[in-house]
């Protein structure tokens, strides 16, 4: 008969979990309570719901058994398990970060923070705001300061068929062109966007026009119109 | 369905969107600290809270071992070309590099010289730390190294150049010092050719030429001279392991002129950096000539780890 010590955890919504002491001690917070002899009855965890707590316990179970000398779980297997485990929606991810922090489970906190960091890869500030539902609260001056700091990292270049002239254009202006907008949305922005049907002098005019329209839209005067159709109609010299 | 604290359920059991803007800053910082340079710039552009949570983030992952350095081309105007280690090219405006020469690059900090003044510089954050005036008004064959980041208390800077046919001159600056100290070493030109790389290791500055010669200057002010040979099978007294590897002709091997899209009539002089590729390896400085001697123009380049250091405006040496 193994007498494995267990502790009882109670989530914010009243769910009860009976967990082996070694597993529960993956949480430094709970470990402290146990060591201070405060764990005789159920430990209340008012900041963690039952759903999230069950996930945290799952994580702790997996990571305790792997530190057993009898366990044959390799690092790669554990990493694979972590990847599967953390494949959750943003709401759950948010709750897991908060729970990992509150319960002080270092491995889980590292895993969740790294997951968010990985989500930020290849994303502009606008895309990050959209993904995480965050409002841009910079003042116009702060926005300008930020733009000066990071604009170079998100500029894309347009290239005409002369291969000589490239124009650095901000993404917002390039989006004015429907065709280019589609390419951008297809993630075509890593390289130079070739525009086979446009000569450099026409492209220059188009960009100037787009700039004006973006500025006009920003100052909320007349609505901008798509220039794409205008471009296609004109017969252009090679 | 019960009402749960911290959770709002509609009658259809849908969970409301978590307000990521409510994430406390002590949880935003660990996220910011894990980001590379471009991602960190994105992060800082999201909103006020995210920007202020990133004040200690410096894209530290870019300095991890096995992260290859990026390459920055600068010339006579402020428009610089940046090539990432994944081949992405950027154009970046860095007025501080206009007319300046990079003497050393280490872990994201550059040591720059400009008309007698020396300063440490982080090109991506524009962080700048001015140093006491350098004793020479011009740089010719000067090569430099520094022991640790300039904000660290034990940062030592050493700049070496050949002052005559028989002597090398070293100017050294300790952290907090107001004056450079001058040290001369007897080393004739045929003993050590042009110095092509410098680094610091274990209380000694190492200066390599582009063949097999090595000069060291230790912090107890003694010069030593070595010839680098392939490691013999047996141990011999007086023969020590070279603790630092070298990467020679790295710019050429990586086909950088092509990768950068530089035309043939461009000559470029590059400043190397220390990388970690199983062991510490010093990328040596190179001078690549233009294809023809006709109308060519000179560019400068530097291998750099893309860090984002934020120092206070009144940060002094």
């Amino acid at each position: 008969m193994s007498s494995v010590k267990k502790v009882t955890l109670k989530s914010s919504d009243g769910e009860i979990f009976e967990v082996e002491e070694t597993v529960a001690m993956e949480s430094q917070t709970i470990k402290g309570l146990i060591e201070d002899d405060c764990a005789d009855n159920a430990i209340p965890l008012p900041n963690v719901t039952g759903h999230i707590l069950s996930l945290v316990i799952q994580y702790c179970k997996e990571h305790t058994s792997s530190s057993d000398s009898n366990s044959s779980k390799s690092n790669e297997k554990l990493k694979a398990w972590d990847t599967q485990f953390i494949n959750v929606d943003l709401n759950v991810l948010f709750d897991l970060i908060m729970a990992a922090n509150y319960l002080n489970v270092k491995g889980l906190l590292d895993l969740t923070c790294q997951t968010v960091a990985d989500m930020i890869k290849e994303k502009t500030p606008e895309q990050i705001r959209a993904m995480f539902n965050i409002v841009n609260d910079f003042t116009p001056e702060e926005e300008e300061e930020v733009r000066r700091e990071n604009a170079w990292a998100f500029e894309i270049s347009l290239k005409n068929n002369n291969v000589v002239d490239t124009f650095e254009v901000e993404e917002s202006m390039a989006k004015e062109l429907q065709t280019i907008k589609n390419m951008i949305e297809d993630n075509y922005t890593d390289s130079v966007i070739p525009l086979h049907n446009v000569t450099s002098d026409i492209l220059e005019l188009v960009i100037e026009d787009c700039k004006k329209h973006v500025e006009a839209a920003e100052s909320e005067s007349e609505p901008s119109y798509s220039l794409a159709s205008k471009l296609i109609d004109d017969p252009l010299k090679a | 369905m019960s009402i749960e604290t911290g959770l709002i359920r509609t009658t259809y059991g849908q969970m409301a969107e978590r307000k990521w803007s409510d994430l406390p800053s002590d949880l935003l910082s660990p996220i910011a600290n894990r980001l590379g340079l471009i991602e960190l710039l994105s992060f800082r552009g999201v909103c006020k809270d995210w920007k202020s949570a990133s004040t200690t983030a410096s894209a530290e992952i870019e300095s991890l071992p096995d992260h290859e350095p990026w390459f920055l081309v600068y010339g006579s105007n402020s428009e610089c070309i940046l090539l990432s280690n994944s081949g992405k090219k950027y154009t970046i405006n860095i007025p501080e590099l206009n007319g300046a020469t990079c003497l050393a690059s280490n872990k994201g900090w550059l040591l720059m010289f400009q008309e007698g003044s020396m300063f440490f510089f982080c090109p991506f954050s524009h962080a700048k730390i001015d140093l006491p005036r350098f004793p020479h008004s011009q740089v010719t064959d000067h090569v430099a190294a520094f022991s640790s980041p300039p904000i660290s208390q034990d940062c030592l800077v050493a700049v070496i150049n050949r002052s005559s046919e028989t002597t090398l001159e070293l100017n050294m600056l300790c952290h907090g010092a107001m004056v450079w100290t001058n040290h001369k070493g007897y080393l004739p030109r045929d003993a050590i050719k042009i110095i092509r790389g410098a680094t610091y290791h274990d209380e000694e500055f190492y200066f390599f030429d582009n063949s097999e010669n090595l000069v060291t200057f230790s912090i107890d002010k003694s010069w030593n001279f070595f010839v680098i040979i392939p490691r013999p099978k047996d141990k011999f007294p007086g023969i020590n392991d070279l603790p630092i590897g070298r990467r020679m002709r790295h710019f050429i091997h990586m086909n950088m002129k092509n990768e950068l899209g530089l035309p043939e009539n461009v000559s470029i002089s590059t400043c190397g950096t220390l990388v970690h590729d199983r062991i510490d390896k010093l990328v040596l400085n190179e001078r690549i000539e233009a294809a023809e001697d006709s109308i060519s123009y000179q560019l400068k380049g530097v291998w750099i780890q893309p860090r984002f250091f934020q120092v206070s405006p009144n940060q002094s040496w």
Side-chain angles (χ1 to χ4, degrees):
Chain A
M1 297 314 119
S2 61
S3 55
V4 178
K5 264 186 113 180
K6 292 209 170 171
V7 294
T8 311
L9 306 173
K10 184 167 162 191
S11 71
S12 61
D13 45 346
E15 254 190 274
I16 303 286
F17 296 86
E18 221 181 51
V19 179
E20 282 179 31
E21 196 179 83
T22 45
V23 172
M25 301 235 280
E26 287 283 308
S27 154
Q28 295 298 308
T29 308
I30 295 174
K31 179 168 187 259
L33 291 171
I34 293 173
E35 284 169 352
D36 287 346
D37 256 341
C38 303
D40 289 339
N41 304 319
I43 300 176
L45 301 170
N47 292 350
V48 193
T49 63
H51 172 46
I52 298 300
L53 187 54
S54 69
L55 288 173
V56 176
I57 290 168
Q58 240 184 71
Y59 177 89
C60 294
K61 269 200 180 121
E62 194 68 25
H63 282 254
T64 320
S65 66
S66 66
S67 52
D68 260 342
S69 48
N70 292 332
S71 164
S72 56
K73 207 152 238 167
S74 66
N75 262 339
E76 288 102 56
K77 275 210 170 120
L78 201 54
K79 268 211 167 91
W81 188 92
D82 281 350
T83 308
Q84 258 282 74
F85 173 80
I86 208 65
N87 187 15
V88 293
D89 72 39
L90 278 180
N91 290 333
V92 176
L93 185 60
F94 182 93
D95 288 342
L96 278 176
I97 295 181
M98 299 291 272
N101 181 50
Y102 168 67
L103 293 170
N104 201 346
V105 184
K106 186 178 187 300
L108 184 58
L109 189 59
D110 287 345
L111 177 63
T112 48
C113 286
Q114 187 60 51
T115 305
V116 178
D118 291 341
M119 284 172 163
I120 288 174
K121 273 197 175 59
E122 313 272 321
K123 297 217 164 47
T124 63
E126 291 84 18
Q127 289 169 324
I128 297 174
R129 277 185 225 123
M131 181 174 221
F132 292 97
N133 204 16
I134 294 176
V135 169
N136 181 353
D137 61 351
F138 286 123
T139 66
E141 294 81 32
E142 288 168 336
E143 181 71 49
E144 178 54 35
E145 194 190 314
V146 157
R147 207 207 65 84
R148 260 186 283 124
E149 182 182 277
N150 72 19
W152 65 265
F154 308 113
E155 270 169 3
I156 56 167
S157 23
L158 299 172
K159 189 167 94 160
N160 70 342
N161 62 348
N162 290 344
V163 185
V164 171
D165 303 308
T166 60
F167 299 86
E168 303 296 317
V169 174
E170 276 191 345
E171 214 174 296
S172 56
M173 294 177 206
K175 274 193 172 161
E176 280 295 291
L177 291 163
Q178 208 50 45
T179 39
I180 296 175
K181 186 181 178 200
N182 292 337
M183 285 166 126
I184 291 171
E185 279 159 5
D186 284 347
N187 282 323
Y188 202 81
T189 52
D190 280 357
S191 47
V192 171
I193 297 179
L195 300 169
H196 301 293
N197 294 336
V198 192
T199 58
S200 57
D201 42 1
I202 299 294
L203 186 57
E204 218 160 17
L205 290 173
V206 169
I207 290 171
E208 273 312 301
D209 216 338
C210 288
K211 274 187 185 163
K212 285 192 197 123
H213 281 280
V214 169
E215 279 155 17
E218 279 162 4
S219 64
E220 282 172 86
S221 49
E222 49 176 47
S224 56
Y225 55 87
S226 169
L227 290 175
S229 49
K230 211 176 170 188
L231 196 66
I232 291 162
D233 286 341
D234 287 346
L236 296 163
K237 295 180 295 187
Chain B
M1 304 220 191
S2 58
I3 305 288
E4 297 154 313
T5 51
L7 203 73
I8 303 162
R9 279 184 191 268
T10 68
T11 47
Y12 296 96
Q14 292 282 339
M15 280 210 275
E17 294 289 312
R18 285 292 171 275
K19 296 198 86 225
W20 282 85
S21 47
D22 284 346
L23 200 66
S25 61
D26 58 344
L27 291 179
L28 282 172
S29 298
I31 297 171
N33 290 342
R34 287 158 191 278
L35 299 174
L37 176 67
I38 306 294
E39 288 77 31
L40 181 58
L41 290 173
S42 265
F43 186 94
R44 287 167 62 77
V46 170
C47 66
K48 279 201 231 249
D49 280 345
W50 283 41
K51 184 161 191 250
S52 54
S54 70
T55 43
T56 53
S58 67
E60 208 179 316
I61 64 165
E62 306 279 13
S63 285
L64 287 179
D66 307 327
H67 272 241
E68 287 294 305
W70 295 19
F71 193 81
L72 184 68
V73 181
Y74 60 108
S76 53
N77 62 26
S78 310
E79 289 296 298
C80 307
I81 307 173
L82 178 68
L83 190 72
S84 79
N85 56 7
S86 59
K88 261 197 169 132
K89 212 170 17 161
Y90 304 90
T91 304
I92 159 171
N93 188 289
I94 315 175
E96 295 92 337
L97 295 182
N98 203 342
T101 303
C102 180
L103 299 181
S105 166
N106 194 11
K107 294 214 170 45
W109 281 103
L110 302 180
L111 179 68
M112 305 297 303
F113 175 90
Q114 190 170 43
E115 294 159 8
S117 70
M118 277 275 209
F119 56 96
F120 277 105
F121 187 58
C122 174
F124 307 108
S125 65
H126 298 265
K128 191 173 189 251
I129 301 176
D130 286 312
L131 297 183
R133 193 142 195 97
F134 191 64
H136 299 171
S137 57
Q138 274 189 311
V139 291
T140 51
D141 59 335
H142 294 62
V143 174
F146 49 99
S147 61
S148 37
I151 37 183
S152 123
Q153 287 305 307
D154 32 50
C155 180
L156 280 173
V157 186
V159 184
I160 198 169
N161 70 298
R162 175 161 288 286
S163 56
S164 80
E165 281 303 305
T166 52
T167 47
L168 289 177
E169 181 179 334
L170 186 137
N171 283 287
M172 197 160 90
L173 187 69
C174 304
H175 190 271
M178 284 297 116
V179 172
W180 295 79
T181 54
N182 188 287
H183 313 269
K184 288 202 161 68
Y186 174 77
L187 283 145
R189 199 186 282 277
D190 52 14
I192 185 146
K193 319 264 184 308
I194 305 169
I195 293 177
R196 284 268 180 247
T199 188
Y200 180 88
H201 177 84
D202 207 10
E203 304 196 336
E204 261 182 296
F205 282 100
Y206 285 57
F207 302 103
F208 297 89
D209 73 0
N210 59 356
S211 58
E212 71 278 334
N213 302 301
L214 168 66
V215 169
T216 65
F217 182 80
S218 63
I219 56 175
D220 64 7
K221 322 281 195 293
S222 58
W223 293 90
N224 277 295
F225 176 70
F226 299 92
V227 174
I228 300 167
I229 58 172
R231 183 184 296 169
K233 287 203 176 68
D234 307 310
K235 278 215 174 299
F236 286 98
I239 296 189
N240 300 315
D241 281 344
L242 181 65
I244 309 218
R246 290 161 300 162
R247 273 204 196 155
M248 297 179 272
R249 290 175 293 280
H250 190 56
F251 186 88
I252 293 168
H253 290 315
M254 299 297 284
N255 198 17
M256 290 300 280
K257 224 178 187 180
N258 215 353
E259 293 286 318
L260 289 161
L262 297 177
E264 279 307 303
N265 65 338
V266 156
S267 66
I268 183 163
S269 58
T270 74
C271 177
T273 188
L274 194 68
V275 300
H276 189 95
D277 165 22
R278 283 168 296 142
I279 59 165
D280 279 341
K281 286 185 187 164
L282 181 63
V283 174
L284 296 186
N285 304 347
E286 292 167 75
R287 181 164 240 112
I288 288 98
E289 297 302 333
E292 279 141 34
D293 282 310
S294 51
I295 318 146
S296 70
Y297 59 102
Q298 252 279 339
L299 287 180
K300 287 174 260 193
V302 56
W303 293 97
I304 181 171
Q305 276 142 2
R307 300 288 301 272
F308 190 85
F309 295 110
Q310 301 171 65
V311 301
S312 59
N314 53 7
Q315 174 86 41
S316 61
W317 174 243

